[in-house]
Amino acid sequence: MNNQKAETLQGTEKEKFVQQVFEDIAENYDQMNSILSFRRHQAWRKFAMKKMQVGQGDSAIDVCCGTCDWTISLAKASKTGSVIGLDFSPKMLTVGMTKLQKEKLEDNVNLIEGNAMELPYPDNTFDFATIGFALRNVPDVTKVLQEMKRVVKPGGKVVSLELSKPTWKPFRSLYFFYFGRILPLLGKLFVNRYEQYKWLPTSLQSFPDYKELEQMMKEEVGFSRVEVYPLSGGITALHIGYK
């Protein structure tokens, strides 16, 4: 399926398409993340963990956990708490389990194949619910945030770390040129995946910027408070919603 058609996908069709994209790139996902973000994704996640203040024994669900980088950070911070990694891509979870085993954390984390739109957990289960670089790919952003809010306890935090849109116009133009033109070529060069990496910038076009996402979290999802941190000139943004 070409990306012009992919841009128009909604609901179940989008979900199936995105799932196949991530199944295709699972084995190379971590390598390409480092290349395409100039290794900044590690610093962004470290900043997020600092702001979250996960304590020993805290419970967390990492939604759309992918290859489990954030899941691992949560497990290390929680130590004894229940940590769940949930994703709809079996191949991404397989890579994630390999990393958990390397870190000797396989007994601390449960990996679940599941749907972010229908989290298989009761209300008020977790202290934290996180989603990293995946919110722009879901069929319904509001629905996923509502589900994440539902499963956190009162006083808990829903945390999104996601690509955004730079606010300074000259940088914004350069950013979209890199993301739209250079990124897919790097995907082709390094891992022979052009169409899959063409989709990733496409997914950002219609995604709200960090100010719009903040308003959505307040008005449509109903968080009592939302903290927002634009990072690296607005390339990425951290949102923390309080239940």
Side-chain angles (χ1 to χ4, degrees), residues 12 14 18 26 36 97 102 108 110 123 130 158 206 215 221:
T12 303
K14 178 179 178 181
V18 174
L36 301 176
M97 178 52 74
K102 185 177 180 181
N108 301 61
N110 287 324
D123 298 357
T130 61
V158 171
S206 59
Q215 287 302 112
V221 186

Side-chain angles (χ1 to χ4, degrees), residues 14-243:
K14 178 179 178 181
E15 183 179 337
K16 289 180 179 178
F17 175 77
V18 174
Q19 183 177 25
Q20 189 57 56
V21 167
F22 284 97
E23 284 282 281
D24 289 345
I25 66 176
E27 292 180 1
N28 306 110
Y29 181 79
D30 291 331
Q31 175 192 1
M32 289 302 297
N33 254 7
S34 294
I35 292 170
L36 301 176
S37 72
F38 303 100
R39 301 189 71 84
R40 293 302 299 161
H41 67 101
Q42 297 173 352
W44 295 331
R45 190 167 51 254
K46 185 176 180 180
F47 178 84
M49 290 296 296
K50 180 180 178 181
K51 291 297 180 182
M52 290 167 62
Q53 298 182 326
V54 179
Q56 182 170 343
D58 283 344
S59 57
I61 179 169
D62 188 18
V63 177
C64 304
C65 65
T67 61
C68 295
D69 280 342
W70 205 347
T71 318
I72 288 169
S73 296
L74 291 165
K76 286 181 175 179
S78 173
K79 295 183 175 68
T80 58
S82 172
V83 176
I84 305 293
L86 179 142
D87 202 277
F88 66 177
S89 167
K91 287 186 178 180
M92 295 286 269
L93 290 173
T94 297
V95 175
M97 178 52 74
T98 300
K99 291 161 69 172
L100 286 166
Q101 291 168 342
K102 185 177 180 181
E103 296 282 348
K104 297 185 176 7
L105 291 170
E106 67 270 24
D107 293 333
N108 301 61
V109 176
N110 287 324
L111 296 186
I112 304 294
E113 185 179 340
N115 189 339
M117 303 274 286
E118 298 177 4
L119 298 178
Y121 296 97
D123 298 357
N124 309 320
T125 299
F126 302 99
D127 296 299
F128 295 90
T130 61
I131 184 166
F133 304 108
L135 192 58
R136 71 187 186 280
N137 293 318
V138 302
D140 187 330
V141 172
T142 302
K143 172 65 174 171
V144 168
L145 289 171
Q146 288 172 338
E147 275 291 277
M148 293 173 70
K149 180 188 172 196
R150 179 183 66 77
V151 300
V152 298
K153 302 171 185 176
K157 301 174 186 178
V158 171
V159 187
S160 166
L161 184 62
E162 184 54 274
L163 295 174
S164 191
K165 301 168 184 176
T167 52
W168 188 45
K169 288 185 178 178
F171 182 44
R172 187 183 182 114
S173 299
L174 181 63
Y175 171 71
F176 275 108
F177 175 78
Y178 168 77
F179 211 49
R181 301 289 185 87
I182 306 300
L183 184 151
L185 293 177
L186 291 174
K188 174 69 173 176
L189 176 65
F190 285 98
V191 295
N192 197 31
R193 290 287 188 273
Y194 179 84
E195 290 299 327
Q196 291 84 348
Y197 283 94
K198 185 70 176 174
W199 157 253
L200 297 181
T202 299
S203 68
L204 185 60
Q205 296 294 330
S206 59
F207 189 72
D209 64 28
Y210 68 87
K211 293 180 181 178
E212 293 168 337
L213 184 57
E214 177 187 11
Q215 287 302 112
M216 180 186 295
M217 291 177 72
K218 288 178 178 177
E219 297 173 6
E220 297 181 31
V221 186
F223 289 105
S224 61
R225 177 163 64 95
V226 179
E227 294 177 3
V228 186
Y229 303 92
L231 305 172
S232 301
I235 287 176
T236 298
L238 173 67
H239 290 73
I240 304 176
Y242 290 75
K243 180 172 177 177

